[in-house]
């Protein structure tokens, strides 16, 4: 008779520093050399060590020992509370959002639009010069400048609308992601958020 495998839906695994308290109080001092562009071998090696993950090479028993958990029983409530207090909630910080007016202005002056603005300004300057000299065709320069400006404004508005629409669609995808996880706590399946 084969051994029946338990029905496990998820196992909480945290970073490589679960059992080791990390001093983050002096962050500026720890990364000072990197910010200044100096190459300090020891600090670079320390940073590389943080990226060396070998959890996939460990056996189940070694993983249980490393993370203070059990595959069959899960974390104890006390251990989960300790990890939550030490590391905080397991959540991504949202990226900084760009104000809408900045997005709109980027559409108005970005890429090819800046060339059209320059063309419109040159047309208006030519209109001013031709008007002062009382030459015919001055109004043509004014009309051309206005048309160029209208083209830039209308295409900028359309591009901003398209960008806003795609941003809203991407934001709606976040609502589809479940906000709960099924975990093992004290040998019981629990749903946490």
């Amino acid at each position: 008779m084969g051994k029946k495998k338990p029905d496990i839906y998820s196992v909480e695994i945290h970073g490589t520093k679960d059992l080791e308290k990390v001093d983050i109080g002096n962050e500026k001092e720890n990364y000072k050399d990197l910010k200044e562009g100096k190459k300090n071998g020891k600090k670079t090696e320390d940073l590389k060590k943080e990226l060396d993950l070998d959890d996939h090479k460990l056996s189940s028993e070694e993983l249980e020992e490393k993370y203070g958990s059990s595959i069959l029983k899960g974390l104890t409530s006390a251990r989960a509370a300790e990890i939550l207090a030490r590391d905080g909630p397991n959540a991504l910080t949202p990226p900084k959002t760009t104000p809408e007016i900045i997005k709109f202005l980027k559409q108005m002056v970005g890429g090819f639009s800046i060339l059209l603005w320059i063309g419109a300004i040159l047309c208006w300057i030519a209109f001013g010069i031709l008007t002062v000299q009382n030459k015919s065709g001055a109004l043509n320069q004014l009309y051309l400048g206005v048309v160029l400006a209208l083209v830039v404004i209308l295409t900028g508005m359309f591009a901003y609308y398209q960008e806003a629409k795609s941003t809203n669609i991407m934001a709606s995808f976040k609502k589809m992601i479940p906000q709960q996880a099924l975990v093992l706590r004290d040998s019981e399946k629990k749903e946490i958020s």
Side-chain angles (χ1 to χ4, degrees):
M1 284 272 170
K3 197 174 183 183
K4 184 180 177 190
K5 293 232 176 204
D7 192 16
I8 297 177
Y9 290 96
S10 69
V11 176
E12 289 185 4
I13 297 178
H14 299 279
T16 59
K17 304 275 184 180
D18 267 357
L19 302 176
E20 182 181 320
K21 187 82 172 177
V22 178
D23 179 24
I24 60 170
N26 199 359
E27 239 178 67
K28 287 184 180 177
E29 185 65 27
N30 290 341
Y31 299 106
K32 182 177 102 177
D33 292 337
L34 291 175
K35 287 182 182 176
E36 293 174 1
K38 296 178 184 175
K39 294 198 175 189
N40 187 337
K42 183 178 182 279
K43 293 222 183 240
T44 306
E45 289 302 316
D46 289 343
L47 291 174
K48 285 182 182 177
K49 285 180 187 175
E50 290 181 19
L51 297 176
D52 291 336
L53 301 176
D54 61 353
D55 291 349
H56 61 285
K57 297 177 184 175
L58 301 176
S59 68
S60 299
E61 294 79 24
E62 291 171 326
L63 281 172
E64 287 178 345
E65 184 180 328
K66 182 177 181 179
Y67 292 110
S69 180
S70 167
I71 292 178
L72 299 176
K73 297 179 183 177
L75 286 174
T76 63
S77 296
R79 177 78 174 137
E82 175 188 330
I83 292 171
L84 180 64
R86 183 188 66 208
D87 298 334
N90 187 12
L92 296 173
T93 55
K96 292 181 181 179
T97 57
T98 306
E100 295 299 316
I101 188 70
I102 300 297
K103 290 180 185 178
F104 181 71
L105 291 175
K106 280 184 179 179
Q107 294 297 336
M108 289 294 170
V109 295
F112 187 65
S113 297
I114 194 74
L115 293 175
L116 293 174
W117 278 118
I118 291 170
I121 291 168
L122 288 175
C123 286
W124 292 328
I125 291 172
F127 167 73
I129 292 171
L130 292 175
T131 303
V132 170
Q133 294 177 351
N134 291 325
K135 291 195 175 176
S136 64
L139 283 178
N140 291 340
Q141 297 299 323
L142 176 65
Y143 296 146
L144 182 59
V146 169
V147 168
L148 288 173
L150 282 175
V151 166
V152 172
I153 291 169
L154 290 176
T155 57
M157 289 171 56
F158 180 73
Y160 170 75
Y161 172 74
Q162 291 295 326
E163 182 182 343
K165 202 161 93 170
S166 66
T167 302
N168 289 339
I169 290 171
M170 293 302 288
S172 70
F173 288 148
K174 289 181 184 177
K175 295 176 185 174
M176 294 181 185
I177 299 172
Q179 299 299 317
Q180 301 87 10
L182 189 61
V183 297
L184 282 173
R185 289 279 190 273
D186 301 316
S187 301
E188 292 180 18
K189 292 178 188 175
K190 292 184 180 179
E191 197 170 283
I192 61 171
S193 51

